[in-house]
Amino acid sequence: MGRDDVARLFPDADTRTAVSAEQPRLPISYYEQRIPGPAGWDDRPCGYLLFGPPYDLEARDARERGWAVDQISGGHLHQLVDPDAVAARLVAMTEDRGPAR
């Protein structure tokens, strides 16, 4: 993915600059490692909000875990494009969730 492709993920240049300035610079080895999660980490009510087809596998995994899954059509950084809609949907998901498993 080139710089122009990445730039299209942001709503505007100012947002891209602000987010980029906050990102830690990590070595590629950080992203290549697999860190196991502690047993039972997902025993509480959880949910997954996806923005589009690239995340279908993660959504399926969430459903298999019994999590609430919802979708807002958008791109990878949709929380930057429409933060109010994303926040409202997350709040609604927490209100809709049932008791802990």
Side-chain angles (χ1 to χ4, degrees), residues 15-25:
T15 302
R16 181 178 180 199
T17 299
V19 170
S20 295
E22 294 175 2
Q23 291 178 327
R25 303 297 184 239

Side-chain angles (χ1 to χ4, degrees), residues 8-51:
R8 282 185 226 128
L9 297 173
F10 294 87
D12 55 60
D14 289 341
T15 302
R16 181 178 180 199
T17 299
V19 170
S20 295
E22 294 175 2
Q23 291 178 327
R25 303 297 184 239
L26 301 168
I28 193 71
S29 61
Y30 174 85
Y31 298 99
E32 296 171 338
Q33 59 185 318
R34 184 149 177 92
I35 300 172
W41 69 269
D42 61 348
D43 285 345
R44 306 209 180 343
C46 296
Y48 187 81
L49 180 61
L50 69 148
F51 301 142

Side-chain angles (χ1 to χ4, degrees), residues 50-83:
L50 69 148
F51 301 142
Y55 305 100
D56 288 341
L57 290 175
E58 290 81 0
R60 185 179 69 203
D61 179 55
R63 283 186 189 95
E64 289 172 358
R65 293 173 185 269
W67 298 4
V69 175
D70 203 350
Q71 180 173 355
I72 293 178
S73 294
H76 177 65
L77 298 174
H78 194 65
Q79 70 275 18
L80 299 175
V81 174
D82 193 354

